Amino acid sequence: MSATPTIDSSPALMNPAVAAAAVHGTPREVLSFKLGAEEYGIDILKVQEIRGYEQPTRIANAPGFMKGVVNLRGVIVPIVDMRMRFALEDVKYDAFTVVIILNVVGRTVGIVVDSVSDVLELRTDQIKPAPEFNGQVDSTYITGLGTVKSGDTERMLILMDIEQMMSSAEMGLMDMVMH
């Protein structure tokens, strides 16, 4: 995959109101996944592959959410446990636990999630701006909320700018030398 600039990589999207305005237009495809009780969505174009969870090799002095690295066909890939990154309790590894391999900012990174649901196409009328949280919740990486109807039920997806999150300073991923 080439690192072609997309609207999702714009620094202006850090503002949820700007992000909501940017999604108007063509429908967007998102990969939905679960972390605890919540369901999240990320841009499908950032996803390289989905793999079963395998224990990564630990890296000394890495943050707790950094599980380590795996060798993926000759490429050393850092693995981030999103449950630990979001301080979720009761982090378990089971048959549903998967690693989503992403291509962000020209780097390959893996994220551990509870399970992957499906690929959804969201129309502009299904996406609402993220609410303001008055600084109590870090909403920097939330670009909006998607609503998906399944029969009579409706489910909410928290739409994330995964590229912005993975390239943030607190993740420290872009400082790691991955050759």
Side-chain angles (χ1 to χ4, degrees):
M1 284 180 127
S2 65
T4 308
T6 65
I7 193 160
D8 288 340
S9 63
S10 168
L13 291 185
M14 289 176 66
N15 178 335
V18 174
V23 297
H24 294 292
T26 58
R28 59 191 271 202
E29 286 190 328
V30 297
L31 176 68
S32 66
F33 61 88
K34 291 210 175 229
L35 285 174
E38 305 304 325
E39 194 168 9
Y40 293 81
I42 57 174
D43 184 347
I44 192 67
L45 296 177
K46 305 290 180 212
V47 177
Q48 184 174 310
E49 66 183 272
I50 300 166
R51 304 170 50 88
Y53 179 77
E54 60 183 77
Q55 186 66 42
T57 303
R58 259 325 258 156
I59 301 292
N61 299 321
F65 57 79
M66 179 69 62
K67 295 302 292 176
V69 295
V70 296
N71 185 338
L72 182 64
R73 294 180 295 280
V75 176
I76 303 301
V77 179
I79 303 296
V80 174
D81 192 319
M82 294 299 282
R83 301 167 299 186
M84 296 171 100
R85 170 68 176 83
F86 288 162
L88 297 179
E89 295 178 18
D90 199 27
V91 173
K92 284 189 244 156
Y93 299 91
D94 59 26
F96 297 105
T97 304
V98 295
V99 176
I100 303 171
I101 304 295
L102 304 167
N103 191 319
V104 291
V105 199
R107 289 270 170 94
T108 304
V109 178
I111 60 171
V112 180
V113 299
D114 289 336
S115 64
V116 170
S117 303
D118 45 19
V119 175
L120 301 166
E121 188 174 273
L122 294 177
R123 298 180 319 274
T124 54
D125 64 331
Q126 293 174 284
I127 301 172
K128 305 291 182 236
E132 293 292 325
F133 291 108
N134 297 330
Q136 295 173 5
V137 176
D138 184 0
S139 60
T140 307
Y141 313 113
I142 299 173
T143 60
L145 299 173
T147 307
V148 181
K149 282 192 185 239
S150 305
D152 290 339
T153 62
E154 204 173 72
R155 63 191 226 246
M156 190 77 76
L157 283 179
I158 301 167
L159 302 176
M160 295 177 59
D161 184 340
I162 197 69
E163 187 162 55
Q164 187 74 31
M165 174 182 255
M166 290 296 133
S167 61
S168 68
E170 72 261 18
M171 293 300 286
L173 290 174
M174 298 308 135
D175 298 335
M176 295 179 85
V177 179
M178 298 289 148
H179 295 290

